[in-house]
C-alpha cells in the first residue's frame, strides 16, 4: 500500500530490510514521521520513523490476532 493510506490509528509493520519488527499502531504523524505504539496500548515504542519505511497491514495483523488464544476466549 502507499504511504497516503497510512494515517493515525493504522496498523503497520516495517518494510523489508527495516529495523522495526512486529506490528504497531500509528499514534501520531508529524512532518512525514510517525510515532508507533502497540496495537492495544498507549506507550510509544518507536519515535520519528519515516512513513516511507512503513506499510499498512491491518488485515494481516487481524488474521493473526484471530488465531490467538486471547481472541478465541472472548
Amino acid at each position: 500500500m502507499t504511504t497516503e493510506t497510512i494515517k493515525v490509528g493504522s496498523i503497520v509493520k516495517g518494510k523489508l530490510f527495516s529495523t522495526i519488527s512486529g506490528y504497531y499502531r500509528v499514534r501520531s504523524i508529524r512532518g512525514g514521521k510517525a510515532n508507533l505504539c502497540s496495537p492495544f496500548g498507549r506507550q510509544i515504542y518507536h519515535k520519528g520513523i519515516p512513513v516511507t519505511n512503513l506499510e499498512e497491514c491491518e488485515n494481516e495483523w487481524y488474521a493473526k490476532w484471530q488465531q490467538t488464544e486471547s481472541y478465541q476466549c472472548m
Side-chain angles (χ1 to χ4, degrees):
M1 299 205 149
T2 61
T3 58
E4 291 83 29
T5 60
I6 295 177
K7 57 186 181 294
V8 174
S10 296
I11 301 294
V12 297
K13 68 178 181 179
K15 286 188 177 177
L16 193 61
F17 305 117
S18 177
T19 59
I20 298 172
S21 62
Y23 299 101
Y24 296 95
R25 182 170 49 91
V26 175
R27 182 100 165 117
S28 67
I29 297 177
R30 293 189 182 104
K33 295 188 177 187
N35 291 345
L36 306 176
C37 64
S38 71
F40 298 110
R42 297 185 57 130
Q43 180 181 1
I44 295 175
Y45 291 112
H46 299 285
K47 289 185 175 184
I49 305 301
V51 176
T52 56
N53 290 351
L54 301 173
E55 64 179 290
E56 188 172 8
C57 61
E58 187 166 352
N59 294 334
E60 177 184 331
W61 169 79
Y62 191 70
K64 286 188 178 186
W65 166 241
Q66 287 178 319
Q67 302 303 314
T68 65
E69 186 177 339
S70 299
Y71 180 86
Q72 293 177 4
C73 288
M74 285 198 247

